[in-house]
Amino acid sequence: MVSGDHNAPKCSGLAQAEKAQSLSDLLFASPPDWLDKPMLRFRQPDGRWKQWSRIRVQHAVLRVAAWLESKGVKAGDRVGILGHNCPEWFVADFAILRLGAVTVPAYFTDPPEAVQYVFNDADVSAIFVEEGAQLEKLEGVDKPLLPFHGESNSISAVALDENWDNHLQASSPNRKQLATLIYTSGTTGFPKGVMLTHDNLLADVSAALGGVAVFPEDLFLSFLPTSHAFERTVGHFLPTACGSEIAYAEAVTTLLRDMPDVKPTIMISVPRLYEKIYTGVQTKLAEGPAIKRKLFNLAQKLGMERFELKQQGEDLSGGKALLWSLLDKLVNAKLREKMGGNIRGFISGGAALHPDIARFLLAADIMVLPGYGLTETSPVLSVNRYGAIKPETVGPALPRVEFRVAEDGELLVKGPMVMQGYWKKPEATAEVLDVGGWLHTGDIVEIDDDGYVKIVDRKKEIMVLSNGENVPPAVIEQHLTQSPAILQAMVVADNRPDVVALVVPDVDGVRRLWQKTMNETLPENWRQNERVHHWMLIQMRNEEHDLSSFMQVKRFAFLDGEWTQDAGLLTPTLKLKRRKIAELHADLIAGLYPKEK
């Protein structure tokens, strides 16, 4: 059994989280010198950024809480939120929590039927909703709808209306009360409402701050949906506890514009962002002159050597130090400037980050801290620490987190951040939460002698070939998508003689790589061309070289369109919905296996 380290770095927010009696205390029970500090930042329609101070946010929350109370919302009632990250989302959440009601967020990326399922299952009393496309998803819903914006009956209007000040009758909630239902995105079946108390979330904020120090001077750039447990705890509650500022990206598509504008010090993201950064760099290198590739490779090699030395408290010296200084300015500085130039740490979660991508960032002196957690654990359980990073792992357990590995390799976890259960689903709760309080994560792991956890795969997704060999699909897919020619890939192997794959190609990447390796123009009918298929298998083999032969893809099929959330083929954290994808392409998969004689 492995327990979290209690001697991790401390910061001001840790005391806030530990003494808080409810999540609303993170906002209201704060030092006086934080009151005039900027707290929330957002881009206005004219393109300029606007800031709200902490005291302004406090007043806005109290007014909206009183407004909710006047509409009959009371402690224990469930209240929905549907919309993009913005100050109104923040205010709505803390107003609900201050009343002792229960926040039920839905993903703004979900289709109407999924959103309505969440709110119906939770039996919400009212729903805060962003106007436009999000409001349209609630057509036919017979619940009071409270808009984000508007002239009178909206969050934005009430937040500015001084008549709503100090009218609250409700007493502050306590740590044992239910704070939120977060519905698991799930790769199969209907989502389940994870019941988290104020204590669960406060314990996880404290645990996270016991692993990664955050300070009032830090600036977070928020773009992962706040409805996601990872962003809610680490990008929403945690900076509130620390007196840090939160800036809201206008959209995922505006990140490249927002990062240089905001100059964040900390960002929370799933691996997809880092994968896109890596792919973008590789694409530019492939298109550029050979000298740029040589300089990049040298900078990466020297940067990795420097990173490993700094992990031991040392640094490059002499000629290597001078060379690094030059290469860093020529190669890495521009990349860091595109991220704002002030990044102190990227915190990666939601899925395993490929070690090669972590090393790429670390070698460029961009600090990335791979971590791990589940919605059912509020969610963060482990994270790599500054100065003690193992890129192939998701770090050691956080303080007060206990890990145990079952005989089959499944990770079991125990701690105050573990959920109360699934909403109205006692059987499902009993399947994952045993009487001793150990939560069965469903993840197959390895833990090294230092307590660092390496995720192998999902227990339910481990595929077994007809010869009995176990195949971890996510590992293979991570390898495949390192190729600039492959945008997405899904492995099929369960109860089959060998591994095949569905491949969504990066069309421009295919053309460039074909031209580079074959020195000729890509054939017009390349998706059906046997030479191109043989060539692509070679590219796959290049990426799979360190995998066992039985794990390597033997045949594949190109697909025409990208898998998206809108099509219902990806979860909000961009995981593949394997069953739906397999059903959609059942005939294509069948064609990849030779007919039995």
Side-chain angles (χ1 to χ4, degrees):
M1 187 170 68
V2 180
S3 297
D5 174 28
H6 293 264
N7 297 314
K10 302 290 191 293
C11 66
S12 56
L14 185 58
Q16 291 291 116
E18 289 181 339
K19 72 182 181 182
Q21 293 304 304
S22 72
L23 288 162
S24 60
D25 284 353
L26 297 181
L27 175 64
F28 292 105
S30 55
D33 59 346
W34 288 3
L35 294 179
D36 292 323
K37 280 182 80 277
M39 183 176 189
L40 303 180
R41 186 188 306 191
F42 58 99
R43 193 186 289 275
Q44 300 179 107
D46 63 6
R48 291 183 299 173
W49 289 88
K50 185 174 182 179
Q51 293 172 310
W52 287 3
S53 68
R54 192 178 187 95
I55 194 165
R56 178 173 181 174
V57 174
Q58 289 178 346
H59 285 313
V61 167
L62 289 174
R63 289 167 183 162
V64 173
W67 179 51
L68 271 181
E69 192 175 56
S70 74
K71 293 180 178 296
V73 176
K74 58 187 182 302
D77 287 352
R78 277 79 59 204
V79 181
I81 304 182
L82 176 63
H84 289 74
N85 300 9
C86 61
E88 288 76 17
W89 207 111
F90 183 102
V91 169
D93 187 29
F94 272 89
I96 295 165
L97 295 169
R98 172 60 185 80
L99 281 180
V102 179
T103 301
V104 183
Y107 285 101
F108 61 75
T109 53
D110 274 352
E113 58 271 19
V115 169
Q116 293 190 24
Y117 172 84
V118 165
F119 292 149
N120 286 333
D121 187 68
D123 190 21
V124 297
S125 300
I127 303 169
F128 285 108
V129 59
E130 180 184 325
E131 299 81 346
Q134 300 304 320
L135 181 59
E136 291 172 5
K137 294 177 182 179
L138 300 179
E139 186 176 350
V141 173
D142 185 22
K143 299 288 182 182
L145 303 180
L146 313 173
F148 278 16
H149 307 98
E151 293 184 1
S152 57
N153 194 33
S154 69
I155 299 175
S156 57
V158 173
L160 299 173
D161 187 350
E162 295 184 3
N163 294 323
W164 287 104
D165 256 344
N166 303 317
H167 287 180
L168 276 180
Q169 301 299 314
S171 58
S172 294
N174 61 62
R175 291 183 76 115
K176 298 302 179 183
Q177 284 179 239
L178 189 62
T180 191
L181 296 179
I182 302 181
Y183 279 74
T184 57
S185 50
T187 55
T188 61
F190 289 109
K192 298 185 288 290
V194 175
M195 297 190 292
L196 300 174
T197 63
H198 289 260
D199 188 52
N200 289 148
L201 289 158
L202 287 168
D204 203 55
V205 169
S206 296
L209 289 173
V212 180
V214 177
F215 304 98
E217 298 75 28
D218 277 315
L219 172 56
F220 287 65
L221 179 58
S222 172
F223 76 95
L224 193 66
T226 318
S227 48
H228 186 279
F230 184 31
E231 180 67 29
R232 184 96 169 284
T233 293
V234 186
H236 180 75
F237 292 131
L238 187 148
T240 301
C242 295
S244 308
E245 185 179 359
I246 304 168
Y248 294 105
E250 192 170 349
V252 173
T253 54
T254 66
L255 273 179
L256 289 179
R257 181 191 68 182
D258 294 340
M259 282 193 283
D261 277 2
V262 172
K263 302 185 186 305
T265 61
I266 296 178
M267 283 184 67
I268 316 300
S269 180
V270 294
R272 188 61 180 151
L273 170 66
Y274 315 118
E275 291 167 0
K276 286 188 174 181
I277 293 171
Y278 176 82
T279 301
V281 170
Q282 295 299 321
T283 298
K284 285 192 174 181
L285 288 172
E287 293 173 343
I291 185 63
K292 277 195 173 182
R293 290 192 291 276
K294 288 182 179 179
L295 287 173
F296 172 81
N297 291 334
L298 183 56
Q300 281 280 294
K301 182 179 178 181
L302 197 56
M304 204 63 215
E305 183 179 342
R306 176 177 178 267
F307 163 74
E308 289 169 351
L309 283 170
K310 289 181 79 69
Q311 296 286 287
Q312 302 164 26
E314 302 175 20
D315 204 343
L316 296 171
S317 59
K320 283 188 176 181
L322 291 172
L323 180 58
W324 162 254
S325 179
L326 177 62
L327 287 171
D328 189 48
K329 289 177 183 177
L330 288 173
V331 177
N332 300 323
K334 292 178 182 177
L335 180 59
R336 292 197 297 268
E337 282 302 314
K338 287 182 178 179
M339 299 174 188
N342 288 339
I343 286 288
R344 191 164 65 80
F346 277 118
I347 302 175
S348 180
L353 177 64
H354 195 288
D356 288 350
I357 295 177
R359 291 187 186 98
F360 151 72
L361 292 167
L362 293 167
D365 202 20
I366 299 169
M367 197 59 58
V368 61
L369 305 173
Y372 166 77
L374 305 166
T375 303
E376 290 85 347
T377 58
S378 302
V380 190
L381 293 169
S382 69
V383 70
N384 277 271
R385 314 295 207 262
Y386 290 110
I389 299 172
K390 295 186 180 184
E392 68 281 3
T393 76
V394 291
L398 289 171
R400 300 178 73 190
V401 174
E402 295 179 70
F403 285 158
R404 192 174 78 193
V405 180
E407 289 184 6
D408 63 358
E410 182 182 8
L411 179 66
L412 310 184
V413 60
K414 191 175 184 180
M417 63 287 300
V418 171
M419 68 171 182
Q420 306 306 297
Y422 295 120
W423 177 253
K424 297 190 296 188
K425 288 182 168 55
E427 295 85 3
T429 300
E431 287 178 8
V432 300
L433 195 57
D434 66 30
V435 290
W438 288 96
L439 179 79
H440 294 245
T441 66
D443 287 306
I444 303 299
V445 305
E446 298 171 355
I447 301 182
D448 69 16
D449 293 341
D450 297 323
Y452 281 66
V453 180
K454 181 179 180 181
I455 306 297
V456 177
D457 214 320
R458 288 290 295 167
K459 182 177 178 179
K460 291 182 179 179
E461 291 183 358
I462 292 287
M463 299 178 179
V464 183
L465 292 174
S466 54
N467 65 2
E469 294 282 8
N470 288 342
V471 173
V475 172
I476 303 171
E477 290 154 2
Q478 272 194 337
H479 279 70
L480 295 178
T481 53
Q482 294 312 293
S483 169
I486 298 177
L487 186 63
Q488 295 170 307
M490 188 183 90
V491 163
V492 178
D494 216 17
N495 299 315
R496 311 278 190 163
D498 45 36
V499 178
V500 301
L502 299 177
V503 170
V504 177
D506 182 318
V507 177
D508 291 336
V510 171
R511 288 200 178 97
R512 283 192 295 266
L513 195 57
W514 176 271
Q515 180 69 46
K516 180 181 177 181
T517 57
M518 304 299 286
N519 198 28
E520 61 179 68
T521 303
L522 186 69
E524 286 292 329
N525 65 337
W526 60 272
R527 292 176 189 272
Q528 292 78 38
N529 188 289
E530 287 189 16
R531 283 184 66 221
V532 175
H533 272 247
H534 178 71
W535 168 83
M536 179 59 85
L537 280 171
I538 294 173
Q539 307 313 308
M540 291 181 179
R541 201 70 75 246
N542 291 340
E543 303 299 338
E544 300 171 320
H545 64 88
D546 57 342
L547 297 179
S548 301
S549 60
F550 69 83
M551 292 171 60
Q552 296 175 356
V553 173
K554 302 303 186 291
R555 292 170 301 283
F556 75 95
F558 280 127
L559 300 182
D560 289 332
E562 185 176 348
W563 298 316
T564 65
Q565 294 177 60
D566 290 341
L569 301 176
L570 296 180
T571 72
T573 52
L574 306 182
K575 296 186 182 79
L576 302 177
K577 292 191 173 182
R578 297 183 184 279
R579 188 178 69 184
K580 289 191 176 183
I581 294 172
E583 289 172 354
L584 183 64
H585 301 292
D587 291 342
L588 198 57
I589 292 169
L592 290 172
Y593 287 98
K595 301 265 189 237
E596 292 185 9
K597 296 181 180 179

